[in-house]
């Protein structure tokens, strides 16, 4: 189980990094979303993977650590809001600037326009 | 009763203010919203001063919902956090006052976003829990995303997009770091972490080091350290003056987090992970100084120059911090107070100048005379003298502290030339900008756009803070060296959070 889990997290992270390094905003947003999935899975696993146990500390010798689950929940909620914002922003950029390239094409001096 | 809950007030005040500001206030809502905002900032200053006085008797810990550390989330006010809270509050008031003269009408909900931004910043200063620090980072980030866009415009869009995407990636790295650290220690309470990480052996210590360095990346992104500073100049130069002035405190959140985490958790006493990342901070800080100097001299827009001044100040502070002595932390703290006020004042001055110059705005070219030429010129030159670090203002004292903090020959050989060299570049650049914009003006009648007196008074208040820092430099540095002592001896902090006998677990 651990091996499968870690490979999944690893592949998700690798794919997301590839997407984040692209030059257009849409793949980057998708990449960041994917990265947040990978991170959430990773956070979940930091309490160790335990099967069929109660998430209560001190009740029994074996338990599922409840804290990472709470952390993941928080991270999901925050990540959701951030993704929503970044998508809206990317759409606005596409609409107003006419391109979704992250860096201005054919321009090497950021001051030229001002 | 109130005394007991004092610690959480800096979070409740801006939150309630923001919620009140979001209510529909009838025909002319802005008047009420401004009043609420100003009242909130004044109240924050009062609370911050009380906290600062209280922190003299040792750190106070506030367990949210009475769940005790390390299981519950705690807010901790020691001298360092109390000073940062006071700094934020004193900065916020003039900036908000300045914004109340029409800047807040450029986009919707500026007032509420301003308060939410304060909530995030103050929360980051007060929390005693790493995950909670992440949450407050997100609060300050999401309001900063919206504030950066305040007023709209194509130029802001791209800078904001860069800022948002970088920070989203940063948040993901923050979570990974937290996961790594939690996985190895089973806690995220900072004081508890300090104890547990010190006891780690061999392999576990290596994993903790990975987590710690990942945290350093995140904080360095917030603070704008060398390879991660690229977002800053464009973002700060493109946004409105008020927002840029408020953001003067944002890089300090990163620096505060580095000081807090890397002295408490990865400080001298933390066994196998002791002094993690200090050598990185030293070299990257020096690099940031150099890059900032080049940026300052190469910019053709005054806003951009000031944005690079922020980069320089970050480099100065983190390099000094990495020398790891009480003396260097005193220097960092004093310089932090100074640079926050002065960069905020400069951003506001440039904002006024740009408005009054009309078409040429803040570009460093010959332009027409401004309506309030004399007073703006005086303010600019006073601020320039302060940020360059020439006597008589606090910049001089700050630089002196920093140069003095370098002890060994190697430190002096590297730090002095870079600090003094960048100072020289700043001086050249600001003299050039000042003489072009204030002295070489076109003949003919001056522009007719005058700024409200209140805005000038707001800038005056920030400059007054600089004068205050200079006049009371002695007592302030005494107070700050108390902070430095506490930061270098985290046992008091840990004991306050975990109670007596924490080490006998």
């Amino acid at each position: 189980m651990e091996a499968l889990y870690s490979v999944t997290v690893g592949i998700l992270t690798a794919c997301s990094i590839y997407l984040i390094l692209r030059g257009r905003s849409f793949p980057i947003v998708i990449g960041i979303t994917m990265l947040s999935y990978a991170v959430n899975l990773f956070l979940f696993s930091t309490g160790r993977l335990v099967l069929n146990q109660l998430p209560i500390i001190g009740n029994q010798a074996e338990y599922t650590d409840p804290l990472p689950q709470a952390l993941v929940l928080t991270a999901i909620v925050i990540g959701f809001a951030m993704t929503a914002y970044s998508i809206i922003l990317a759409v606005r950029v596409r609409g107003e600037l006419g391109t979704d390239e992250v860096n201005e094409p054919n321009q090497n001096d950021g001051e030229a326009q001002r | 009763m109130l005394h007991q809950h004092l610690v959480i007030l800096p979070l409740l005040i801006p939150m309630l203010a923001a919620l009140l500001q979001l209510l529909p206030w009838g025909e002319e809502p802005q008047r009420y919203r401004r009043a609420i905002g100003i009242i909130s900032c004044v109240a924050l200053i009062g609370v911050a001063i009380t906290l600062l006085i209280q922190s003299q008797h040792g750190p106070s810990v506030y367990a949210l919902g009475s769940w005790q550390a390390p299981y519950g989330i705690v807010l901790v006010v020691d001298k360092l956090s109390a000073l940062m809270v006071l700094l934020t509050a004193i900065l916020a008031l003039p900036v908000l006052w300045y914004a109340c003269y029409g800047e807040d009408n450029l986009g919707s909900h500026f007032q509420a976003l301003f308060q939410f931004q304060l909530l995030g910043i103050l929360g980051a200063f007060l929390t005693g829990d790493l995950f909670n620090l992440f949450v407050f980072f997100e609060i300050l980030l999401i309001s900063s995303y919206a504030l950066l866009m305040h007023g709209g415009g194509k130029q802001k869009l791209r800078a904001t997009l860069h800022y948002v995407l970088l920070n989203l990636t940063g948040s993901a790295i923050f979570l990974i770091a937290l996961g790594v650290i939690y996985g190895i220690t089973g806690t995220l309470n900072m004081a508890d972490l300090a104890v547990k990480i010190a006891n780690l052996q061999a392999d576990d210590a290596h994993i903790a080091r990975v987590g710690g360095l990942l945290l350093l990346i995140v904080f360095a992104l917030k603070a704008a350290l060398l390879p991660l500073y690229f977002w800053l100049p464009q973002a700060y130069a493109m946004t409105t003056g008020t927002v840029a002035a408020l953001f003067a405190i944002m890089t300090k959140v990163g620096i505060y987090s580095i000081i807090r985490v890397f002295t408490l958790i990865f400080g001298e006493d933390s066994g196998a992970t002791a002094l993690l990342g200090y050598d990185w901070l030293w070299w990257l800080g020096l690099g940031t100084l150099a890059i900032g100097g080049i940026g300052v001299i190469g910019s053709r827009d005054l806003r951009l120059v000031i944005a690079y001044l922020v980069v320089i100040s970050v480099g100065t502070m983190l390099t000094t911090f990495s020398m790891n002595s009480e003396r260097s932390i005193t220097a960092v703290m004093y310089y932090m107070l100074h640079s926050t006020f002065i960069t905020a004042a400069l951003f506001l001055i440039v904002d006024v100048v740009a408005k009054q110059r009309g078409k040429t705005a803040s570009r460093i070219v010959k332009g027409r005379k401004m309506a309030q030429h004399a007073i703006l010129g005086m303010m600019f030159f006073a601020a320039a003298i302060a940020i360059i670090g020439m006597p008589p203002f606090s910049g001089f004292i700050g630089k002196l502290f920093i140069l003095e903090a370098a002890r060994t020959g190697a430190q002096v050989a590297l730090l002095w030339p870079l600090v003094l060299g960048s100072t020289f570049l700043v001086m050249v650049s600001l003299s050039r900008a000042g003489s072009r914009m204030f002295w070489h003006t076109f003949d003919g009648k001056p522009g007719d756009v005058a700024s409200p007196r209140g805005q000038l008074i707001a800038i005056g208040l920030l400059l007054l803070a600089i004068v205050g820092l200079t006049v009371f430099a002695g007592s302030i540095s005494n107070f700050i060296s108390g902070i430095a002592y506490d930061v270098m001896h985290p046992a008091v902090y840990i004991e306050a959070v975990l109670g007596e006998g924490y080490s006998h677990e």
Side-chain angles (χ1 to χ4, degrees):
Chain A
M1 182 167 64
E2 276 84 0
L4 183 64
Y5 198 95
S6 48
V7 167
T8 312
V9 173
I11 291 177
L12 264 178
T13 313
C15 295
S16 66
I17 289 174
Y18 175 77
L19 284 174
I20 288 173
L21 294 178
R22 310 289 310 197
R24 289 170 176 273
S25 53
F26 187 67
I28 295 181
V29 171
I30 297 289
I32 286 176
T33 316
M34 208 187 255
L35 184 61
S36 76
Y37 296 156
V39 168
N40 289 340
L41 282 176
F42 173 71
L43 266 187
F44 180 74
S45 73
T46 54
R48 305 294 181 270
L49 301 172
V50 183
L51 284 180
N52 294 330
Q53 297 297 336
L54 295 174
I56 301 167
I57 298 179
N59 189 27
Q60 53 213 26
E62 279 278 299
Y63 62 88
T64 304
D65 194 344
L67 194 74
Q69 306 182 10
L71 301 188
V72 169
L73 264 180
T74 317
I76 288 175
V77 174
I78 292 176
F80 182 70
M82 295 295 173
T83 313
Y85 187 88
S86 62
I87 288 176
I88 297 290
L89 187 67
V91 170
R92 279 283 299 275
V93 169
R94 174 75 179 81
E96 295 218 0
L97 302 179
T99 166
D100 69 342
E101 302 237 4
V102 173
N103 284 319
E104 223 153 322
N106 311 324
Q107 195 194 339
N108 39 25
D109 188 357
E111 287 176 71
Q113 286 200 333
R114 271 179 295 138
Chain B
M1 182 66 189
L2 191 64
H3 174 78
Q4 181 196 351
H5 296 289
L6 194 65
V7 177
I8 200 170
L9 275 185
L11 304 184
L12 290 183
I13 292 171
M15 190 165 77
L16 286 177
L19 293 179
L20 284 177
Q21 281 169 340
L22 286 173
L23 295 177
W25 283 97
E27 289 290 299
E28 254 188 76
Q30 207 66 313
R31 265 177 51 205
Y32 298 99
R33 288 183 182 146
R34 284 171 185 167
I36 295 169
I38 295 284
I39 291 171
S40 148
C41 285
V42 172
L44 271 180
I45 293 181
V47 171
I49 291 174
T50 323
L51 278 179
L52 196 68
I53 294 168
Q54 192 182 314
S55 71
Q56 292 305 303
H57 313 296
S60 21
V61 180
Y62 185 84
L64 293 164
S66 258
W67 290 91
Q68 295 304 318
Y71 301 106
I73 288 172
V74 289
L75 301 178
V76 187
V77 180
D78 63 344
K79 289 177 199 163
L80 176 61
S81 344
L83 184 69
M84 296 306 293
V85 169
L86 183 62
L87 174 64
T88 315
I90 295 181
L91 175 77
L93 183 62
V95 173
L96 186 65
W97 188 1
Y98 181 94
C100 284
Y101 289 89
E103 289 245 339
D104 53 352
N105 285 329
L106 295 176
S108 44
H109 299 307
F110 174 88
Q111 294 282 349
L113 286 168
F114 191 94
Q115 298 294 329
F116 279 128
Q117 176 84 69
L118 287 183
L119 166 68
I121 294 172
L122 295 174
F125 291 147
L126 288 178
T127 184
D129 183 281
L130 268 187
F131 194 80
N132 212 222
L133 182 66
F134 164 77
V135 174
F136 280 118
F137 264 33
E138 295 304 306
I139 293 177
L140 77 86
L141 279 177
I142 200 149
S143 17
S144 75
Y145 299 158
L147 280 178
L148 263 186
M149 278 305 297
H150 178 66
K154 286 186 181 179
Q155 307 304 321
K156 283 177 197 154
L157 263 178
R158 202 178 289 277
T160 310
L161 184 70
H162 288 181
Y163 178 77
V164 170
L165 293 179
L166 260 176
N167 275 302
L168 283 178
T169 319
S171 303
I173 298 176
F174 200 163
L175 281 175
I176 297 175
L178 292 180
V180 170
I181 290 175
Y182 181 80
I184 213 73
T185 58
T187 181
L188 285 172
N189 180 287
M190 292 193 211
D192 199 24
L193 269 177
V195 177
K196 291 207 167 128
I197 283 207
N199 296 329
L200 290 181
Q201 301 300 329
D203 287 353
D204 286 355
H206 285 304
I207 298 178
R209 289 175 72 90
V210 172
L213 286 174
L214 281 172
L215 274 184
L216 186 64
I217 293 177
V218 180
F219 297 153
L221 175 68
K222 295 278 176 305
L225 195 66
L226 175 61
L228 303 168
Y229 78 94
F230 295 101
W231 58 271
L232 189 142
Q234 289 296 322
Y236 278 39
M238 295 292 185
T239 187
T240 47
T242 350
V243 176
L246 177 64
F247 281 15
I249 193 80
M250 291 272 283
T251 51
K252 274 70 178 181
V253 177
I255 293 173
Y256 163 83
S257 312
I258 289 179
I259 294 179
R260 172 65 84 216
V261 169
F262 284 82
T263 54
L264 182 62
I265 303 179
F266 301 104
E268 268 172 345
D269 312 323
S270 64
T273 54
L275 297 186
L276 179 75
Y278 278 64
D279 40 352
W280 284 96
L281 281 178
W282 168 254
W283 290 110
L284 293 177
L286 289 175
T288 313
L289 260 175
I291 291 283
I294 295 170
V296 161
I297 202 81
S299 305
R300 283 171 289 164
D301 189 300
L302 193 54
R303 282 179 203 271
L304 212 51
V305 171
I306 298 164
Y308 274 107
L309 288 175
V310 176
V311 176
I312 290 188
S313 75
V314 168
T316 316
M317 280 188 268
L318 287 181
T319 314
T320 314
F321 167 71
S322 73
M323 289 187 292
N324 185 38
S325 64
E326 273 177 45
R327 200 183 269 275
S328 71
I329 289 175
T330 312
V332 170
M333 292 307 297
Y334 188 85
Y335 196 77
M336 184 174 327
L337 300 179
H338 154 78
S339 87
T340 307
F341 289 128
I342 199 66
T343 34
L346 272 169
F347 272 123
L348 293 184
I349 292 173
V350 175
D351 195 52
V352 175
V353 168
K355 262 185 214 137
Q356 300 202 1
R357 269 160 59 100
K359 241 177 151 182
T360 44
S362 56
R363 269 175 294 147
I364 304 176
V365 290
K366 196 171 172 175
R368 64 176 174 180
K369 229 169 147 84
M370 287 162 271
Q372 289 154 321
H373 204 81
I375 178 94
L376 283 177
M378 266 151 51
M379 281 178 166
F380 177 79
F381 283 104
I385 287 171
I387 198 150
I388 292 167
M390 287 195 297
F393 290 123
S394 54
F396 174 68
I397 303 169
K399 290 247 158 94
L400 214 59
F401 274 140
I402 283 170
L403 295 181
E404 223 185 16
R407 284 287 116 167
T408 64
Q411 286 173 348
V412 171
L414 279 165
L415 186 73
W416 284 41
L418 274 164
V419 168
L420 295 177
S422 67
T423 303
F424 174 69
L425 293 180
V426 171
M427 190 171 74
V428 170
S429 171
L430 286 181
S431 325
R432 186 185 60 174
S435 53
R436 286 254 174 92
M437 296 171 85
F438 291 97
W439 291 345
H440 293 208
T441 49
F442 291 124
D443 297 332
K445 75 174 176 60
D448 44 9
V449 189
S451 302
R453 186 172 298 164
Q455 288 196 327
L456 298 181
I457 294 176
I459 300 173
L461 278 182
L462 286 171
L463 292 176
L464 203 66
I466 293 296
V467 175
L469 277 181
T470 319
V471 174
F472 300 108
S475 39
I476 290 175
S477 75
N478 273 342
F479 175 74
I480 291 176
S481 54
I483 295 181
Y485 179 85
D486 283 9
V487 165
M488 296 299 287
H489 301 84
V492 182
Y493 181 98
I494 298 171
E495 206 158 289
V497 176
L498 297 181
E500 300 277 334
Y502 59 88
S503 50
H504 306 301
E505 255 182 75

